[in-house]
Amino acid sequence: MAAISDHTRRPAPGGLYATDHEHDACGVAMLADMQGRRDHATVQKAITALLRLEHRGARGSEPNTGDGAGILIQVPDAFYREVAEFELPEAGAYAVGTAFLPAGPGQADEAVAAIDALAAEENLRVLGWRELPTDPETADLGPSALAAMPVFRQLFVAGVESSDGGTGVGAASPTGLDLERRTFCLRKRAEHATGAYFASLSPRTVVYKGMLTEPQLPVFYPDLTDGRVTSALAIVHSRFSTNTFPAWPLAHPYRYVAHNGEINTLRGNRN
């Protein structure tokens, strides 16, 4: 066995061991039903996988403040139809996403009003906002996570025909990539203009994440333990920040990917 260096408490280079390979990395797992069958069991299995990745997640001096954990699933259309207090168009013709809104007095409502105006500019129709259920008390969030916790609301939008590119009254609402493009523009403009952050905003997938430990995620978001929430695929992520402090928006997964380790270093990008 290689000798231990005094100042790092790591083995000195030797054999197959090299010190430049010594690093920490996040935990990630992916799950999919090969037949595309949606059920709650897929969500449950993904959360089980996330719990098995708890050793990959970082925590500071507060054992109940995590570096971040989250899950990406397909939009549970039937569930949202039951819990939303407004009418939804057919699946795929609307987008949904969770907004992390500023938590100061009146700031969340101001951000919502501004986002509604931006949606109209992007030829999107706001169907409604849902107060996303959360349970920070039962989840036992730590002081740091509570101090930085935003307001959580889900935005539902559908596309409308543009004034210069429509085909007249009765034209079909945009779906697919057209709707994805419009919601991308809305999301980016909203984040720059209002300070809000969207964990996702898509007609296909939805992300539940936060400055949480792995066991806290399904407790903090009761949606995830509701049997009506179904998906045929899931990505879960347990974050270990190697060069950034924890924050609600920095938790993974992101809207399309979750990466296991650093991807922003010069050597990594060259490789």
Side-chain angles (χ1 to χ4, degrees), residues 133-150:
T134 59
D135 191 351
E137 183 175 352
T138 303
D140 187 30
L141 263 61
S144 296
L146 285 172
M149 189 173 69

Side-chain angles (χ1 to χ4, degrees), residues 195-209:
Y197 171 86
F198 278 91
S200 61
L201 185 58
S202 168
R204 296 182 292 180
T205 58
V206 62
V207 172
Y208 290 81
K209 70 176 189 176

Side-chain angles (χ1 to χ4, degrees), residues 29-30 117 162 186 191 211 241 258 269:
M30 289 154 279
S162 62
L186 172 61
E191 290 173 357
M211 192 172 158
S241 62
N269 285 329

Side-chain angles (χ1 to χ4, degrees), residues 72-108:
L72 176 150
I73 59 174
Q74 290 174 302
V75 169
D77 175 67
F79 169 71
Y80 287 146
R81 290 183 187 281
E82 290 191 32
V83 298
E85 298 179 350
F86 39 84
E87 187 175 350
L88 296 175
E90 65 181 15
Y94 70 91
V96 57
T98 300
F100 294 175
L101 301 171
Q107 289 183 330

Side-chain angles (χ1 to χ4, degrees), residues 40 73 96 120 256 259 264:
H40 186 63
I73 59 174
V96 57
Y256 286 97
H259 67 82
N264 61 342

Side-chain angles (χ1 to χ4, degrees), residues 110-127:
E110 292 176 4
V112 164
I115 293 169
D116 287 349
L118 291 172
E121 294 179 11
E122 294 297 334
N123 294 306
L124 290 167
R125 175 169 55 97
V126 174
L127 302 170

Side-chain angles (χ1 to χ4, degrees), residues 25-181:
C26 310
V28 61
M30 289 154 279
L31 182 69
D33 185 287
M34 297 301 291
Q35 282 72 47
R37 296 167 297 190
R38 301 190 185 204
D39 59 21
H40 186 63
T42 298
V43 180
Q44 290 178 311
K45 291 175 183 176
I47 291 175
T48 298
L50 178 65
L51 297 178
R52 299 296 185 269
L53 295 170
E54 188 173 357
H55 65 288
R56 302 306 307 166
R59 304 186 193 184
S61 60
E62 302 168 9
N64 53 351
T65 292
D67 203 12
I71 183 172
L72 176 150
I73 59 174
Q74 290 174 302
V75 169
D77 175 67
F79 169 71
Y80 287 146
R81 290 183 187 281
E82 290 191 32
V83 298
E85 298 179 350
F86 39 84
E87 187 175 350
L88 296 175
E90 65 181 15
Y94 70 91
V96 57
T98 300
F100 294 175
L101 301 171
Q107 289 183 330
D109 291 335
E110 292 176 4
V112 164
I115 293 169
D116 287 349
L118 291 172
E121 294 179 11
E122 294 297 334
N123 294 306
L124 290 167
R125 175 169 55 97
V126 174
L127 302 170
W129 289 84
R130 177 191 178 218
E131 295 283 347
L132 181 62
T134 59
D135 191 351
E137 183 175 352
T138 303
D140 187 30
L141 263 61
S144 296
L146 285 172
M149 189 173 69
V151 172
F152 305 90
R153 295 183 192 172
Q154 282 185 323
L155 170 63
F156 292 76
V157 294
V160 295
E161 291 302 317
S162 62
S163 58
D164 57 352
T167 56
V169 177
S173 297
T175 58
L177 285 177
D178 187 3
L179 186 53
E180 289 276 13
R181 292 187 185 102

